[in-house]
Amino acid sequence: AKYTGGDVRYYPNFHIQLSGLKLKHELQHVLTRYMGWEAVMRVRVSRGWKITKFYGHLFIRGHDLLVIPNCHADQTFAIAFDMEENV
């Protein structure tokens, strides 16, 4: 999931009678949701601010350019900002 942007699900002590319906609904949701493929996102900040960290299933191609293998409504991204010292 780290490199593909995919999902990882864990079913401890899986038994078809107990977890089968949950698995079916989650699999149906993953296979039928709208997806965007090979997205590119550029993040820009105002003067006096800097980007310190990106979080999510993405690749960093530059200080402000991100490549996202796939994008959907269940996915989140986070970006950490900080003030520059010379402001």
Side-chain angles (χ1 to χ4, degrees):
K2 178 180 178 183
Y3 298 107
T4 63
D7 294 335
V8 175
R9 308 292 171 114
Y10 177 62
Y11 300 92
N13 302 319
F14 180 81
H15 194 272
I16 194 69
Q17 279 77 25
L18 300 174
S19 302
L21 191 58
K22 180 180 179 186
L23 174 63
K24 177 188 171 195
H25 288 293
E26 289 181 353
L27 189 58
Q28 182 179 5
H29 173 73
V30 168
L31 295 175
T32 59
R33 67 184 170 199
Y34 289 106
M35 298 283 288
W37 301 97
E38 295 296 324
V40 177
M41 178 169 54
R42 184 174 300 274
V43 180
R44 298 195 176 164
V45 295
S46 298
R47 190 174 307 139
W49 291 90
K50 62 182 176 179
I51 301 167
T52 57
K53 189 82 173 161
F54 294 103
Y55 301 95
H57 295 292
L58 46 86
F59 295 101
I60 301 170
R61 293 283 186 225
H63 70 280
D64 66 344
L65 186 63
L66 308 172
V67 176
I68 305 163
N70 61 57
C71 188
H72 50 80
D74 299 327
Q75 200 169 27
T76 58
F77 303 102
I79 303 165
F81 301 96
D82 200 5
M83 290 183 68
E84 292 181 343
E85 294 179 19
N86 57 357
V87 175

